[in-house]
Amino acid sequence: MKAFKRALAAFAFIAIAFRAVGSFLSWVEKQEDAPADAWIDEDEFEEA
């Protein structure tokens, strides 16, 4: 019974970790699609 509980806990942990990694990668993908206006260097415009 103890081994079954540990196996169930390990499975739950792996499932949660997998979901967290998937959420993070989804967030990163959304960040790449967003416009990058906030990162434009203002000095770059002064030279032009």
Side-chain angles (χ1 to χ4, degrees), residues 6-33:
R6 286 187 181 182
L8 187 62
F11 177 75
F13 179 78
I14 290 169
I16 292 170
F18 182 75
R19 188 170 183 184
V21 169
S23 295
F24 177 73
L25 292 176
S26 175
W27 176 79
V28 168
E29 190 173 300
K30 288 178 185 176
Q31 297 300 314
E32 290 176 353
D33 293 341

